[in-house]
Amino acid sequence: MNNPALELQKRRSAALTPGGQQRIDRQHDQGKLTARERITVLLDEDSFVELGQLVRHQSTDFGLEEQRPYGDGVITGYGAIHGRLVYVYSQDFTVFGGSLGRAHASKIVQLQDLALQNGAPIIGISDSGGARIQEGVVSLGGYADIFLRNTLASGVIPQISAILGPCAGGAVYSPAITDLVFMVQGTSYMFVTGPDVVHSVTQEEVSAEELGGATVHAQRSGVAHAVYANDVACLEAIRTVLTYLPQNSEQQPAVKQTPQTSTGNQSSLESLVPQNPNKPYDMHDVIHILVDHHSFTAIHDQFARNLICGFARIGGHSVGIVANQPAHLAGVLDIDASVKGARFVRFCDAFNIPLLTLEDVPGFLPGADQEWRGIIRHGAKLLYAFCEATVPKLTVITRKAYGGAYDVMSSKHIRGDLNYAWPNAEIAVMGAKGAVKILHRSALKNAENPEALEQQFIEDYQEQFSNPYIAAEYGYVDEVIYPHETRERLITGLEMLRNKVLNNPRKKHGNLPL
């Protein structure tokens, strides 16, 4: 080592393309960016500082001593997104297929420790074949070290996973513990056991895409919170999501001070909800009119579409929106919607993001299948999440609020701060038709003209119960407002609640009905 400067340059140069150009070309041919290219897209220009660039494994089994690339298949470091500190690791599929060994894991663990100690988000980019078989149990131990830190950091710093290639075996559990999981159509896969193992055990023929592709996890399993067309779109989405979040649980989300305008005309809300309570409408239309111009970012939009979840800004304030969707299953709450909503509510509460609930819910989905699969237990998750949340909570009942679902959807009774209702809101134990069949069963059975009598009973019930004014009299609704007044009420409410302090009873932790 006669010239130290040249030696360092040589090693740094080797670390930049440890897998070689041929494997880089193969990565591009598959429509994927390289690990370094992904970091470049994700972070602010020239902000990345790499750590552990010259790390190499120390293994000697199965000829590994002859293959010791720098970095050991993962790039780790820190940088900035919109000027704020973030930590990032990016697995390099061109090196050992991105497989995880002891050195690989130790780099990620070091980064996780730094992120937690310094209170900044961490983003993991997965593109890996799983545990490095040649290193045996050491690889499994490395995964467990990562899982532990994922768990300890949960609710303290935002953790975001980008699945930009295969993610198999034990590797899937780290993303599963993180807050948000993003995937790419056609190149992302997640499964505990791959298609070959599935076939050998069950004789089931299934492709990687069918088993654990982005569409499956976005629509059926709910593992993926969002799916994008390519790596760039996925990484840009992560940059967008971070604008709604604080750095950690001790901070508040930033408030944009510049004047914010909405996308639509507020007066159009007056005619948006149909007078016929059985006619659907798209709650997205309500959201886009209420929030700041083009600020809504949906989360889990392909999963449990009867409940909308997403981030937005209202008057510059970051908010998490939970909204029933009348255009899908009439906005009813079922198992998937309850779990989806509970996870999102708890995430927002962990990071001090106010919750806006837009309510039009006819109740929980009835049926033997839902009962047998545990709608009671799963529905209780959403109830628990709203009860537990201490962030500012604002609720607007746009139309129906029936039965137990009225209670669950951030009602005044579970510490809702500001609860509003539109004039056509229906707040009752159940819909008029169902209530009449129970309340007047005997009269209808003995009536000469049961249809006419039933209609009269329905109209009487609607007049007496299917309105927001009884709830307002009891103080369960703070105010009945015209729809066009809603945005202004929300803005002033968010300002008023900006310094809210509410603490739950001291405990080790609650027992969420898992």
Side-chain angles (χ1 to χ4, degrees):
M1 197 178 297
N2 295 327
N3 190 324
L6 286 177
E7 182 65 24
L8 175 59
Q9 182 181 0
K10 173 185 173 183
R11 292 178 185 241
R12 280 186 172 180
S13 180
L16 292 178
T17 55
Q21 190 60 46
Q22 185 175 358
R23 290 178 181 171
I24 290 174
D25 292 341
R26 192 179 307 154
Q27 189 89 340
H28 289 160
D29 290 342
Q30 294 174 352
K32 298 160 62 178
L33 298 178
T34 65
R36 289 190 181 277
E37 289 169 342
R38 288 163 174 166
I39 291 175
T40 300
V41 172
L42 177 67
L43 299 181
D44 295 348
E45 188 174 0
D46 297 328
S47 71
F48 181 60
V49 179
E50 187 170 356
L51 302 173
Q53 185 183 58
L54 301 182
V55 166
R56 296 200 291 183
H57 72 75
Q58 308 300 315
S59 302
T60 57
D61 293 323
F62 302 100
L64 282 179
E65 71 276 6
E66 299 175 5
Q67 302 177 67
R68 299 183 64 218
Y70 290 114
D72 202 50
V74 63
I75 300 165
T76 56
Y78 60 92
I81 292 181
H82 302 300
R84 297 194 300 167
L85 173 66
V86 297
Y87 294 84
V88 60
Y89 67 85
S90 181
Q91 293 181 312
D92 188 349
F93 197 79
T94 70
V95 177
F96 298 132
S99 62
L100 183 140
R102 191 203 64 81
H104 183 124
S106 68
K107 290 179 66 176
I108 296 175
V109 164
Q110 178 197 13
L111 200 74
Q112 290 178 299
D113 289 341
L114 284 170
L116 185 57
Q117 292 162 11
N118 290 281
I122 184 168
I123 300 153
I125 302 175
S126 297
D127 190 359
S128 168
R132 193 172 299 166
I133 299 172
Q134 298 94 320
E135 294 195 31
V137 71
V138 176
S139 297
L140 302 181
Y143 273 129
D145 291 337
I146 293 170
F147 302 159
L148 172 63
R149 284 159 178 82
N150 285 136
T151 303
L152 296 178
S154 181
V156 182
I157 56 173
Q159 300 180 85
I160 300 176
S161 298
I163 313 301
L164 303 186
C167 186
V172 299
Y173 290 112
S174 175
I177 301 173
T178 62
D179 300 305
L180 297 169
V181 178
F182 292 167
M183 297 182 72
V184 169
Q185 192 69 51
T187 57
S188 297
Y189 306 99
M190 294 181 76
F191 31 66
V192 176
T193 53
D196 293 339
V197 176
V198 169
H199 181 262
S200 67
V201 174
T202 69
Q203 303 305 306
E204 183 180 2
E205 292 284 355
V206 62
S207 68
E209 186 68 38
E210 293 168 332
L211 182 65
T215 298
V216 168
H217 287 310
Q219 296 180 4
R220 299 188 65 176
S221 74
V223 170
H225 292 84
V227 174
Y228 300 93
N230 52 55
D231 287 9
V232 173
C234 180
L235 297 168
E236 289 287 352
I238 292 174
R239 289 178 58 87
T240 298
V241 165
L242 283 172
T243 63
Y244 300 103
L245 311 181
Q247 289 290 88
N248 55 63
S249 60
E250 298 297 316
Q251 296 183 9
Q252 299 292 323
V255 178
K256 288 191 175 183
Q257 299 300 331
T258 54
Q260 303 293 314
T261 59
S262 63
T263 302
N265 187 337
Q266 299 303 305
S267 62
S268 63
L269 290 171
E270 302 292 341
S271 58
L272 200 152
V273 178
Q275 291 297 315
N276 182 349
N278 297 318
K279 188 173 181 180
Y281 64 96
D282 192 343
M283 187 64 85
H284 284 105
D285 295 336
V286 176
I287 292 171
H288 289 299
I289 293 171
L290 291 178
V291 304
D292 295 349
H293 188 62
H294 293 316
S295 72
F296 181 66
T297 298
I299 297 295
H300 255 153
D301 63 329
Q302 296 184 44
F303 178 70
R305 292 186 293 121
N306 38 320
L307 190 75
I308 299 168
C309 294
F311 302 108
R313 290 190 179 276
I314 297 180
H317 294 269
S318 179
V319 297
I321 295 178
V322 180
N324 305 113
Q325 172 57 298
H328 187 78
L329 296 178
V332 72
L333 289 174
D334 60 3
I335 289 173
D336 286 345
S338 298
V339 174
K340 168 183 171 176
R343 180 174 174 85
F344 183 74
V345 167
R346 299 191 91 216
F347 175 76
C348 290
D349 187 51
F351 294 107
N352 307 311
I353 301 170
L355 288 162
L356 168 61
T357 303
L358 298 175
E359 184 174 358
D360 186 349
V361 59
F364 284 89
L365 182 63
D369 178 67
Q370 287 285 301
E371 296 291 352
W372 293 341
R373 289 170 54 209
I375 183 62
I376 296 171
R377 176 168 50 89
H378 294 295
K381 293 176 183 177
L382 183 57
L383 172 60
Y384 188 106
F386 270 124
C387 287
E388 179 187 45
T390 60
V391 292
K393 293 187 286 189
L394 300 88
T395 301
V396 179
I397 301 172
T398 63
R399 190 167 63 177
K400 297 176 184 176
Y402 287 165
Y406 155 74
D407 292 320
V408 169
M409 293 297 291
S410 198
S411 63
K412 180 66 70 177
H413 319 276
I414 58 174
R415 304 194 297 187
D417 294 298
L418 292 173
N419 293 66
Y420 298 115
W422 288 357
N424 61 333
E426 302 174 13
I427 306 172
V429 174
M430 62 174 61
K433 190 175 182 67
V436 163
K437 287 186 179 297
I438 294 173
L439 294 172
H440 302 287
R441 181 186 295 112
S442 178
L444 291 172
K445 183 178 180 180
N446 299 317
E448 292 183 7
N449 188 345
E451 290 81 9
L453 184 60
E454 180 182 14
Q455 184 58 38
Q456 182 59 51
F457 284 146
I458 287 174
E459 291 175 3
D460 292 344
Y461 182 91
Q462 289 174 331
E463 179 70 23
Q464 186 173 359
F465 292 107
S466 293
N467 63 71
Y469 299 109
I470 295 175
E473 289 177 12
Y474 279 104
Y476 300 160
V477 168
D478 290 299
E479 190 177 2
V480 180
I481 60 175
Y482 293 111
H484 73 266
E485 297 175 323
T486 307
R487 176 174 160 85
E488 187 59 34
R489 288 292 197 282
L490 295 177
I491 292 173
T492 57
L494 288 166
E495 285 289 345
M496 181 271 289
L497 294 165
R498 191 170 177 180
N499 296 315
K500 175 187 175 183
V501 176
L502 175 63
N503 295 311
N504 288 326
R506 184 180 176 187
K507 65 183 82 172
K508 185 175 182 180
H509 57 72
N511 191 13
L512 178 70
L514 296 173

